Amino acid sequence: LRRHAAQQRLIAGRAQDWTTAQLIAAHGVDRLQTTPSYARHLLETRDGLDALALLDTLLVGGEALPADLASALAGRANCLQ
């Protein structure tokens, strides 16, 4: 886990101009933990929608998850069951 976290910091340091969605696609990210507000942001862009489709696991927490957002994520992300 420490190695993975260090790799993520290294990637983030080199990719300051990249969006999260671009990083997901470029680096084969298959798990994402995020807040509902950022998950909503991902749903608002084509890159974000494409990135959600690449994920095997999406953890959403840290704040309230509105029902409309849960439904929208369930309709877009392959990882939700």
Side-chain angles (χ1 to χ4, degrees), residues 2 4-5 7-8 12 15 17 21-22 29-30 37-39 49 57 59 64 79 81:
R2 285 183 182 165
H4 178 72
Q7 288 172 337
Q8 291 302 85
D17 294 330
Q22 290 168 331
V29 174
D30 58 3
S37 55
Y38 196 76
L49 291 171
T57 304
L59 300 171
C79 54
Q81 298 179 8

Side-chain angles (χ1 to χ4, degrees), residues 11-78:
I11 289 169
R14 291 181 184 162
Q16 292 177 1
D17 294 330
W18 289 37
T19 66
T20 300
Q22 290 168 331
L23 287 169
I24 290 169
H27 295 281
V29 174
D30 58 3
R31 295 172 194 91
L32 179 66
Q33 180 177 352
T34 189
T35 60
S37 55
Y38 196 76
R40 186 178 301 278
H41 169 73
L42 289 173
L43 287 171
E44 294 172 349
T45 65
R46 170 53 40 205
D47 284 351
L49 291 171
D50 293 344
L52 286 171
L54 297 173
L55 298 174
D56 292 331
T57 304
L58 177 62
L59 300 171
V60 181
E63 58 193 43
L65 177 61
D68 68 316
L69 178 58
S71 295
L73 288 170
R76 295 291 185 171
N78 293 332

